[in-house]
Each structure stands twice: as C-alpha cells, then as structure tokens.
Coordinates of all heavy atoms in Angstrom, one line a residue:
H1069 N 14.0 -39.5 22.6 CA 14.3 -38.8 23.8 C 15.9 -38.9 24.1 O 16.3 -38.6 25.1 CB 13.6 -39.4 25.0 CG 12.1 -39.4 24.9 ND1 11.5 -38.3 24.7 CD2 11.2 -40.4 24.8 CE1 10.1 -38.5 24.6 NE2 10.0 -39.8 24.7
L1070 N 16.6 -39.3 22.9 CA 18.1 -39.5 23.1 C 18.8 -38.3 23.7 O 19.6 -38.5 24.7 CB 18.6 -40.0 21.7 CG 20.1 -40.2 21.8 CD1 20.4 -41.5 22.6 CD2 20.5 -40.5 20.3
S1071 N 18.5 -37.1 23.2 CA 19.3 -36.0 23.7 C 19.0 -35.7 25.1 O 20.0 -35.1 25.8 CB 18.9 -34.7 22.8 OG 17.5 -34.4 23.0
W1072 N 18.0 -36.2 25.7 CA 17.7 -35.8 27.1 C 18.6 -36.6 28.1 O 18.8 -36.2 29.2 CB 16.3 -36.1 27.4 CG 15.4 -35.0 26.9 CD1 14.7 -35.0 25.8 CD2 15.1 -33.8 27.5 NE1 14.0 -33.7 25.7 CE2 14.2 -32.9 26.7 CE3 15.6 -33.2 28.8 CZ2 13.8 -31.7 27.1 CZ3 15.1 -32.0 29.1 CH2 14.4 -31.2 28.2
V1073 N 19.2 -37.7 27.6 CA 20.2 -38.4 28.4 C 21.3 -37.3 28.7 O 22.0 -37.5 29.9 CB 20.7 -39.7 27.6 CG1 21.8 -40.3 28.6 CG2 19.6 -40.6 27.4
V1074 N 21.7 -36.5 27.7 CA 22.8 -35.6 27.9 C 22.2 -34.2 28.6 O 22.7 -33.7 29.6 CB 23.5 -35.2 26.7 CG1 24.5 -34.1 26.8 CG2 24.1 -36.5 26.1
T1075 N 21.1 -33.9 28.0 CA 20.4 -32.5 28.6 C 20.1 -32.5 30.0 O 20.2 -31.6 30.7 CB 19.3 -32.2 27.6 OG1 19.6 -32.1 26.3 CG2 18.6 -30.9 28.1
A1076 N 19.6 -33.7 30.4 CA 19.0 -33.8 31.8 C 20.1 -33.6 32.8 O 20.0 -32.9 33.9 CB 18.4 -35.2 32.0
Y1077 N 21.3 -34.2 32.5 CA 22.5 -33.9 33.4 C 23.0 -32.5 33.4 O 23.2 -31.9 34.5 CB 23.7 -34.8 33.0 CG 24.8 -34.8 33.9 CD1 24.9 -35.8 34.9 CD2 25.9 -33.9 33.7 CE1 26.0 -35.8 35.8 CE2 26.9 -33.9 34.6 CZ 27.0 -34.9 35.6 OH 28.1 -35.0 36.5
I1078 N 23.0 -31.8 32.2 CA 23.6 -30.5 32.1 C 22.5 -29.5 32.8 O 22.9 -28.5 33.5 CB 23.8 -30.2 30.6 CG1 24.9 -30.9 30.1 CG2 24.2 -28.6 30.6 CD1 25.2 -30.8 28.6
L1079 N 21.3 -29.8 32.5 CA 20.2 -29.0 33.0 C 20.3 -28.9 34.5 O 20.3 -27.8 35.2 CB 18.9 -29.2 32.5 CG 17.6 -28.5 33.0 CD1 17.8 -26.9 32.7 CD2 16.3 -29.1 32.4
A1080 N 20.3 -30.1 35.1 CA 20.2 -30.3 36.6 C 21.4 -29.7 37.2 O 21.3 -29.1 38.2 CB 20.0 -31.7 36.9
S1081 N 22.6 -29.9 36.6 CA 23.9 -29.4 37.2 C 23.9 -27.9 37.1 O 24.4 -27.2 38.0 CB 25.1 -30.0 36.5 OG 25.2 -29.7 35.1
T1082 N 23.5 -27.3 36.1 CA 23.4 -25.9 35.8 C 22.5 -25.2 36.9 O 22.9 -24.2 37.6 CB 22.9 -25.5 34.5 OG1 23.8 -26.1 33.6 CG2 23.0 -23.9 34.3
I1083 N 21.4 -25.8 37.2 CA 20.4 -25.2 38.2 C 20.9 -25.4 39.5 O 20.7 -24.5 40.3 CB 19.0 -26.0 38.0 CG1 18.4 -25.6 36.7 CG2 18.1 -25.6 39.3 CD1 17.1 -26.3 36.5
A1084 N 21.6 -26.5 39.9 CA 22.0 -26.8 41.2 C 23.2 -26.0 41.6 O 23.4 -25.8 42.8 CB 22.4 -28.3 41.4
A1085 N 24.2 -25.6 40.8 CA 25.4 -25.0 41.1 C 25.3 -23.8 42.0 O 25.9 -23.8 43.0 CB 26.2 -24.7 39.8
P1086 N 24.5 -22.8 41.7 CA 24.3 -21.6 42.5 C 23.9 -22.0 43.8 O 24.2 -21.3 44.8 CB 23.5 -20.7 41.7 CG 22.8 -21.5 40.8 CD 23.6 -22.6 40.4
L1087 N 22.9 -23.0 44.0 CA 22.3 -23.4 45.3 C 23.4 -23.9 46.1 O 23.4 -23.6 47.4 CB 21.2 -24.4 45.0 CG 20.0 -23.9 44.2 CD1 19.0 -25.1 44.2 CD2 19.4 -22.8 45.0
Y1088 N 24.3 -24.8 45.6 CA 25.4 -25.4 46.4 C 26.4 -24.2 46.8 O 26.8 -24.3 48.0 CB 26.1 -26.4 45.5 CG 25.3 -27.7 45.5 CD1 24.8 -28.2 44.3 CD2 25.4 -28.6 46.6 CE1 24.1 -29.4 44.3 CE2 24.8 -29.8 46.7 CZ 24.1 -30.3 45.4 OH 23.5 -31.5 45.4
G1089 N 26.6 -23.3 46.1 CA 27.5 -22.3 46.5 C 27.0 -21.6 47.7 O 27.7 -21.3 48.7
K1090 N 25.7 -21.3 47.7 CA 25.2 -20.6 48.9 C 25.0 -21.5 50.1 O 25.3 -21.1 51.2 CB 23.8 -20.0 48.5 CG 23.2 -19.1 49.5 CD 24.0 -17.8 49.8 CE 23.4 -17.0 50.8 NZ 24.2 -15.8 51.1
L1091 N 24.5 -22.6 49.8 CA 24.4 -23.5 51.0 C 25.8 -23.9 51.6 O 25.8 -24.1 52.8 CB 23.6 -24.8 50.5 CG 22.2 -24.8 50.0 CD1 21.7 -26.0 49.5 CD2 21.3 -24.3 51.3
G1092 N 26.8 -24.0 50.8 CA 28.1 -24.4 51.3 C 28.6 -23.2 52.2 O 29.2 -23.3 53.2
D1093 N 28.3 -21.9 51.7 CA 28.7 -20.8 52.6 C 27.9 -20.7 53.9 O 28.4 -20.4 54.9 CB 28.3 -19.4 51.9 CG 29.3 -19.2 50.8 OD1 30.5 -19.8 50.9 OD2 29.1 -18.4 49.8

C-alpha cells in the first residue's frame, strides 16, 4: 500500500479544490 501514502494526499486535494473555490465565493 506504499503508493497510497502519496496517492491519498493528491486524490483528496484534487477533489477538494473546486469545492473550496465555490465555498470561498
């Protein structure tokens, strides 16, 4: 599961980015 230490961060940040943009507005 080694790659998921990196993938989990990138996946979560990619999904969250557009939500934060709208919520910030």
Side-chain angles (χ1 to χ4, degrees):
H1069 303 304
L1070 179 65
S1071 63
W1072 281 97
V1073 177
V1074 178
T1075 302
Y1077 186 90
I1078 296 177
L1079 176 59
S1081 63
T1082 303
I1083 291 173
L1087 297 178
Y1088 279 110
K1090 186 63 177 177
L1091 292 173
D1093 283 342

